Amino acid sequence: MKTDTRALAARGLAEVALRGASLRDVMERHAPRLADPRDRALLMALLSEGARWWLRFDAAIDGLLEKPLRHKDPAIHALLVLGLVQLEILELQDYASVAATVEATRALQRPQLTGLVNAVLRRWQREREGLLAKLDAKPQTRHAHPAWLAAALQRDWPEQVDAVMAADNREPPLMLRVNRQRSSREVLIEQLHAAGHRAEAHSWLGDALVMPHSTDVTRLPGFEDGLFAVQDGAAQVAADLADLRDGLRVLDACAAPGGKACHLLERADIDLTALEFDPERAERIRQNLMRLRLNAKLAIGDAGAPKGWWKGQPFDRILIDAPCSATGVLRRRPDVRLHRRESDIAAMQAQQRRILSALWPLLAPGGRLLYITCSVLRTENEAIVSELLANQPDAQAVAFTLPAGHAASVGWQILPGDDDLDGMYYAVLQKRF
């Protein structure tokens, strides 16, 4: 019997939105159950957009039901959310979407609720304008962002807040990074064009090329040969700011999954140590190094406790991609907005301070440390760096500008959507001789 894609998506979305499951894990678990690539693509779209717009349509469903189903029947509640996602976001044909969603109710073994599901979706269609106006009245439901984050963005980026939240809700482009050790951007673009794929060079990032839509990258020419990696352009900035040259000793702390470490190795002949606390995530670094034909030392350990792994020799460059709220990458990780809490930020700050202060002594005089987060919250970014500068007399900030983004009090912030990039913060610190 063929698996019903919408029923599968409803079960998966309920896991993500109501039980805290990872969207990536749910996708990886459920996608193999669908044989047809078109069904898998629909599943991915439903899960991704369901998570992205949950905070908008979850609130709408309550107003369409006499008694909420969220806890009593989470899969049906999620199915109703997906019904609205199909009508409003994916813009699938109204009649077919409603009919298929009602049919999915049977596949979820709730035939007694088919009439309810049909009635809710029909009512939405009849009262659509008034219901949308009600949702648009609040930032949380207008932009599908948690209220605490909408308030934080308003506080930190009052002039850009609407643009940031709008960017979080758009499909991001697929960005690749050519492996300079094995190919060139021009050659890779030619190969992609020959295989029928649209791709163009990024305007100011030397290794980046942009494709308009997501695709199965493992099927692209050059993937198996390690000619490229998938990496958003904002993350590719790190290699430019590192000011590399051959022979340097480099530490990439918190390195998994290894994108920035690999990029550094593609840029120069360096002695690089990739440090990761989680052995399973460290395995992903190893796999990426192997596919791209690159060599690094892999170390398992806590970046905030160097005694467990450091051999005593200073590093010329240290890159800290610090654990953070991930509020800059909501367009690629829409489930973060469902799982992150305002109360998480203080714990993130404590981690950031601990790691930064522990690694600063490992930097050689004259060396350069890059502090990076994929956060847009100033409390995780320039506030943390400013504390280190105040506490370390031998630390000085290196001024720089980028073609996209905004100057921070220390460092530089790319906001989501700036030049169609992810949100990312960078600070460059140098140790005085």
Side-chain angles (χ1 to χ4, degrees):
M1 181 178 172
K2 184 179 178 182
T3 301
D4 186 292
T5 305
R6 287 169 175 81
L8 194 61
R11 287 195 185 98
L13 183 59
E15 288 182 56
V16 172
L18 299 174
R19 299 192 191 101
S22 156
L23 179 62
R24 175 185 289 174
D25 290 347
V26 168
M27 285 180 169
E28 289 178 352
R29 217 167 353 101
H30 288 333
R33 297 178 61 182
L34 299 169
D36 190 325
R38 292 169 298 182
D39 290 337
R40 288 198 296 274
L42 176 60
L43 176 72
M44 298 297 186
L46 289 170
L47 286 171
S48 182
E49 297 309 308
R52 193 184 312 278
W53 292 101
W54 178 271
L55 292 172
R56 180 170 173 83
F57 297 125
D58 170 61
I61 294 301
D62 281 350
L64 296 168
L65 292 169
E66 287 185 17
K67 295 181 179 179
L69 287 169
R70 187 182 292 100
H71 302 297
K72 182 180 177 183
D73 206 329
I76 293 296
H77 179 83
L79 181 66
L80 288 168
V81 169
L82 289 176
L84 302 190
V85 166
Q86 291 169 77
L87 295 172
E88 297 298 327
I89 306 301
L90 300 179
E91 296 181 342
L92 302 179
Q93 190 176 23
D94 284 12
Y95 174 78
S97 295
V98 172
T101 302
V102 170
E103 190 58 35
T105 311
R106 293 190 178 90
L108 289 168
Q109 299 181 331
R110 305 288 195 281
Q112 71 277 16
L113 296 180
T114 53
L116 175 68
V117 169
N118 184 65
V120 167
L121 298 181
R122 295 297 183 198
R123 183 182 169 193
W124 172 268
Q125 291 175 305
R126 288 195 309 273
E127 302 176 20
R128 178 177 180 273
E129 287 189 18
L131 293 167
L132 286 174
K134 190 180 291 187
L135 295 176
D136 288 342
K138 296 179 181 178
Q140 175 170 350
T141 46
R142 181 166 69 250
H143 295 293
H145 281 59
W148 74 266
L149 180 55
L153 291 170
Q154 180 65 46
R155 180 189 67 235
D156 285 357
W157 303 100
E159 294 179 13
Q160 295 87 10
V161 58
D162 286 333
V164 167
M165 290 195 284
D168 288 342
N169 290 332
R170 288 196 297 270
E171 180 193 3
L174 175 62
M175 300 192 74
L176 307 182
R177 184 193 76 236
V178 68
N179 180 355
R180 287 191 186 188
Q181 299 291 329
R182 301 187 59 75
S183 187
S184 71
R185 189 162 60 173
E186 294 71 28
V187 168
L188 184 57
I189 288 174
E190 283 181 16
Q191 290 177 312
L192 290 168
H193 286 176
H197 299 283
R198 286 174 56 199
E200 58 184 34
H202 191 274
S203 59
W204 56 272
L205 290 164
D207 299 324
L209 55 97
V210 185
M211 301 178 71
H213 301 292
S214 292
T215 187
D216 182 354
V217 294
T218 64
R219 296 176 180 269
L220 293 179
F223 178 83
E224 291 294 338
D225 295 324
L227 304 190
F228 68 86
V230 177
Q231 188 179 44
D232 186 79
Q236 296 187 39
V237 171
D240 292 330
L241 296 180
D243 186 30
L244 293 176
R245 60 179 181 273
D246 290 351
L248 293 182
R249 295 190 75 250
V250 180
L251 171 68
D252 182 358
C254 319
K260 295 181 182 69
C262 289
H263 196 191
L264 298 177
L265 290 163
E266 292 163 6
R267 284 287 186 90
D269 183 10
I270 55 177
D271 176 8
L272 185 137
T273 298
L275 177 70
E276 176 54 44
F277 181 75
D278 184 339
E280 286 188 18
R281 285 170 57 78
E283 175 61 19
R284 292 183 64 194
I285 303 174
R286 190 188 66 79
Q287 291 170 359
N288 282 322
L289 289 167
M290 285 183 61
R291 187 179 65 81
L292 296 167
R293 279 63 160 184
L294 300 168
N295 293 305
K297 298 170 185 170
L298 264 180
I300 308 295
D302 179 358
K307 285 184 179 179
W309 51 267
W310 185 45
K311 306 300 183 187
Q313 190 174 356
F315 294 98
D316 304 300
R317 300 288 184 270
I318 296 177
L319 185 152
I320 303 174
D321 191 353
C324 72
S325 62
T327 46
V329 291
L330 297 190
R331 63 181 194 162
R332 296 193 188 276
R333 296 176 56 193
D335 55 329
V336 168
R337 69 184 78 193
L338 304 179
H339 301 154
R340 186 68 66 232
R341 300 286 179 266
E342 185 173 17
S343 56
D344 297 338
I345 305 305
M348 297 286 183
Q349 289 177 291
Q351 274 282 72
Q352 292 150 6
R353 289 190 190 98
R354 188 176 73 90
I355 291 171
L356 188 53
S357 61
L359 293 182
W360 181 255
L362 278 58
L363 185 66
R368 179 174 281 209
L369 182 148
L370 273 67
Y371 177 82
I372 305 168
T373 77
C374 55
S375 171
V376 295
L377 305 180
R378 294 182 188 273
T379 54
E380 296 185 276
N381 296 337
E382 58 256 56
I384 298 296
V385 175
S386 295
E387 286 180 20
L388 182 91
L389 289 168
N391 294 330
Q392 298 289 348
D394 58 350
Q396 62 183 28
V398 177
F400 63 94
T401 60
L402 296 173
H406 311 264
S409 59
V410 180
W412 194 266
Q413 179 76 61
I414 297 175
L415 292 173
D418 288 345
D419 211 4
D420 212 3
L421 299 171
D422 287 348
M424 199 154 286
Y425 171 80
Y426 288 96
V428 180
L429 305 179
Q430 189 153 10
K431 181 173 280 191
R432 294 186 175 95
F433 285 98

